[in-house]
Amino acid sequence: MTPDQALKEAATGALRPVYLVLGEERWLVDRVVSAIREAAAKGGVAGFNEDKFTAGDASIESILGAARMLPMMGPRRFVLVRGVERWEKKDEGDDGDGEAEEARGAGGKRGVSKQLSPLDALAEYAKAPSPSAVLVLVAPKLHGQRRIVTAAKKGDFLVSCDPLNRRALPGFITSIAREKGNPISSDVAEQLAELAGPELGYVVDAIERLSLYVGPKQPITEDAIAQVVIRVRQSTVWELIDALGRRRLDRALAALADAYDPRDGGLRLLGAVSWSVRQMVKFESALAAGASQAEAAQRAGVAPFKANDVAQSVRQLPKGALAGWMRTLAETDLALKSSRRPAQAVLETMLIEMCSR
């Protein structure tokens, strides 16, 4: 099931006795676990029927014992187990069916233990779980052929919390902003996705700060993003883009020096430039397809008052320059995240390459 389906289930109070929450998107994992925990506590004393474990630090026997324990002064127990993948690493030498060879015993003979591994013990528990407990198992990833994973898929208690697809991020931003009571246009959501993504925790934090900045029921705007998320305004980015298009490296480097923020290692500035270049690519593509300048601006998410400037920037570039820019931006993103070179030097190299194109 999806995280949204799990959240809706928790909201109704119709909880399952076992949930296997897998995925590397921590914000989604925490949101699902918190919702299930809150729903499980209804009708009882908060925290009274609750146990939290970390796999490996606690034994499988103590965890299953907690799940089978009858609740007191409440309808059910909540048992959370994090780090379930630690058991998989410990058992990666077995064949996955719960049987493992023991070390040589007395007399030098090998014996075979029929004792279940912790993961298989969880799969056995899931066949007949306690009706008065909610057992939540959390891991970033488990092998798909593990019995607990196949049981979770078959029993529909697997919650997948994988990182959000980049194309889905603007829609997610629009939805969260709406929850906060702040409208946001599609092009501004796209800009925020480029600047704050892909980690949802940072994206949600940015939306929270933007909501507080603009105030109740007020729209989240490009200017608000410039004030709260990045130090550089989009107008400054367009000045930089214009300088690149005119092969004015001196002006481009001056704009970089003014806008560069060492606190984020240049990633937010790179995101702003990338977003603007993507707009130009969409704009150029729309013009090539026969759209008018106004239609091209609308398709690219360019503000009407900026359409003439973008059209002029696109027309003054040699054919294929934008495609080259996109490759350079991708290489720069990789370099900022992996190179030992100073971030500002990496960005300066990017501008030199873009000017040369």
Side-chain angles (χ1 to χ4, degrees), residues 29 36 57 59 77 120 128 149 154 174 184 192 201 217 240 245 265-266 325:
V29 171
I36 295 174
D57 293 345
S59 68
R77 293 181 54 75
D120 289 339
V149 178
K154 186 176 180 180
T174 300
I184 184 170
L192 185 57
K217 299 182 180 180
L240 191 153
W325 281 10

Side-chain angles (χ1 to χ4, degrees), residues 230-245:
I230 55 174
R231 191 168 66 90
V232 59
R233 290 182 177 274
Q234 194 60 32
S235 58
T236 305
V237 175
W238 280 116
E239 290 174 6
L240 191 153
I241 295 292
D242 181 67
L244 292 172

Side-chain angles (χ1 to χ4, degrees), residues 145-205:
Q145 293 184 348
R146 288 286 177 180
R147 286 174 57 190
I148 184 60
V149 178
T150 56
K153 290 177 180 177
K154 186 176 180 180
D156 198 25
F157 60 87
L158 172 62
V159 185
S160 298
C161 295
D162 296 321
L164 208 62
N165 184 286
R166 173 61 181 81
R167 293 182 179 180
L169 194 51
F172 172 84
I173 290 171
T174 300
S175 176
I176 297 297
R178 189 184 301 118
E179 288 181 12
K180 300 290 183 183
N182 301 102
I184 184 170
S185 65
S186 59
D187 58 320
V188 175
E190 180 71 32
Q191 181 189 19
L192 185 57
E194 188 67 46
L195 296 174
E199 294 182 10
L200 297 189
Y202 186 88
V203 171
V204 173
D205 176 70

